[in-house]
C-alpha cells in the first residue's frame, strides 16, 4: 500500500508527476478529486496514458524550406503537355500514438529528411522512368526523351531527377516522396512507435495540391 498523504497534501496534490526509474519517462496526472495515496495516483496515471486508450494524434510539418522548383510535362497515350515548371511545396502529416518520449515522431527527423528530398529535386527536370509513352535513353552526359508526337528533348544528366513513376504528376510525386520518407525513417521504427499513417502533400500552386496517404499499421 502506498504512503498516505496528510490532509494538507491531499488538498494540494491535484497534479502529481511520477518518473519511472528504469526509463526516465515522466507522466502527469491532473485530478479533480482527492488522491489518497501515491500508489493510487500512479494507477490513475496509467489509466490516463494515451497509449492505454489508443488515443490518436497527428503531427504536421510544413516549413518554408520544404519546397523545390522543377520542370516537367505530363504525358499519356494520345496526350502531352508542353514543358513547364512549378514552385512545389511539401508537407508531411503523421498519425499515430504518443511514445514514452511524448512524441508521435521527432519533428527534427521529418524536417531533416524532407529538406534533403527537396534539395535533391530542386532545379531539375522530373523524368518518369516507368512511362509507357516516353522513350528514354542515355549517353555519357545526357538524358534523351522521345515522345509519341515525335518531340525530342535532351537534358544534362545532372539536371534530371529520375523518378520511379509512370508520370510526373503531383499525385505520383507525393507517393514517391512518401516511399523515400518511409525508407529513411524505416518501416520497423515507425511501427514500433505506433505510427498508423503517413501523408505527403505536394502543392503545385496556392489551393492546388495532391496528397498520398500510406497506411503503416
Amino acid at each position: 500500500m502506498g504512503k498516505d498523504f496528510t490532509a494538507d497534501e491531499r488538498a494540494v496534490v491535484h497534479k502529481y508527476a511520477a518518473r519511472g526509474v528504469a526509463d526516465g519517462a515522466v507522466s502527469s496526472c491532473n485530478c479533480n478529486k482527492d488522491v489518497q495515496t501515491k500508489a493510487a495516483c500512479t494507477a490513475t496515471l496509467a489509466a490516463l496514458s494515451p497509449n492505454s486508450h489508443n488515443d490518436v494524434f497527428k503531427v504536421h510539418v510544413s516549413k518554408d524550406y520544404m519546397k523545390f522548383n522543377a520542370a516537367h510535362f505530363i504525358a499519356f497515350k494520345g496526350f502531352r503537355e508542353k514543358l513547364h515548371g512549378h514552385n512545389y511545396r511539401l508537407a508531411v502529416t503523421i498519425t499515430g500514438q504518443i511514445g514514452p518520449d511524448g512524441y508521435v515522431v521527432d519533428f527534427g527527423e521529418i524536417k531533416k529528411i524532407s529538406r534533403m528530398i527537396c534539395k535533391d529535386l530542386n532545379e531539375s527536370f522530373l523524368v518518369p522512368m516507368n512511362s509507357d509513352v516516353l522513350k528514354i535513353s542515355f549517353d555519357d552526359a545526357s538524358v534523351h526523351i522521345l515522345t509519341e508526337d515525335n518531340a525530342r528533348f535532351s537534358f544534362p544528366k545532372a539536371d534530371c531527377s529520375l523518378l520511379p513513376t509512370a508520370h510526373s504528376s503531383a499525385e505520383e510525386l507525393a507517393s514517391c516522396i512518401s516511399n523515400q520518407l518511409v525508407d529513411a525513417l524505416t518501416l520497423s521504427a515507425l511501427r514500433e512507435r505506433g505510427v498508423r499513417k503517413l501523408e505527403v502533400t505536394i502543392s503545385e500552386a496556392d489551393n492546388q495540391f495532391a496528397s498520398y496517404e500510406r497506411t503503416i499499421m
Side-chain angles (χ1 to χ4, degrees):
M1 184 172 180
K3 175 184 178 295
D4 287 339
F5 288 115
T6 66
D8 289 339
E9 285 176 327
R10 286 199 301 272
V12 298
V13 181
H14 295 296
K15 182 175 182 180
Y16 178 77
R19 181 181 296 275
V21 176
D23 57 15
V26 176
S27 301
S28 64
C29 170
N30 291 283
C31 307
N32 292 320
K33 59 183 179 180
D34 286 347
V35 179
Q36 298 298 323
T37 67
K38 290 184 180 180
C41 189
T42 302
T44 304
L45 289 173
L48 293 177
S49 170
N51 287 337
S52 69
H53 291 299
N54 292 320
D55 288 347
V56 177
F57 295 80
K58 285 187 178 182
V59 296
H60 181 79
V61 182
S62 178
K63 305 294 288 184
D64 287 342
Y65 53 74
M66 289 170 61
K67 61 184 179 182
F68 56 95
N69 307 320
H72 81 136
F73 58 80
I74 300 294
F76 51 83
K77 192 69 175 176
F79 174 82
R80 178 180 69 84
E81 289 182 316
K82 288 187 176 180
L83 178 65
H84 64 284
H86 297 285
N87 297 318
Y88 293 95
R89 299 191 68 87
L90 167 65
V92 180
T93 302
I94 296 181
T95 304
Q97 295 173 271
I98 286 183
D101 53 7
Y103 297 154
V104 175
V105 291
D106 186 345
F107 282 128
E109 284 296 304
I110 302 301
K111 291 188 288 186
K112 179 175 68 175
I113 297 166
S114 297
R115 186 194 287 266
M116 291 173 59
I117 291 171
C118 290
K119 183 178 179 180
D120 286 344
L121 293 171
N122 192 43
E123 297 181 344
S124 69
F125 176 72
L126 306 178
V127 184
M129 294 299 296
N130 296 333
S131 172
D132 60 352
V133 295
L134 301 178
K135 294 182 179 179
I136 303 169
S137 59
F138 303 86
D139 59 29
D140 289 341
S142 301
V143 178
H144 306 287
I145 300 174
L146 175 64
T147 69
E148 270 192 320
D149 59 348
N150 289 318
R152 296 177 182 271
F153 299 87
S154 292
F155 301 97
K157 277 185 179 178
D159 291 353
C160 293
S161 291
L162 308 182
L163 306 178
T165 62
H167 310 90
S168 55
S169 62
E171 291 88 341
E172 293 191 41
L173 194 54
S175 174
C176 179
I177 291 175
S178 171
N179 290 335
Q180 289 180 282
L181 281 163
V182 171
D183 287 346
L185 294 166
T186 76
L187 192 58
S188 59
L190 290 171
R191 286 175 172 167
E192 186 177 342
R193 289 201 63 87
V195 171
R196 298 183 179 185
K197 295 179 181 179
L198 185 148
E199 180 178 315
V200 169
T201 299
I202 294 293
S203 301
E204 294 182 336
D206 290 342
N207 300 314
Q208 180 177 319
F209 58 86
S211 296
Y212 173 76
E213 184 180 87
R214 176 170 175 174
T215 299
I216 303 299
M217 61 182 302

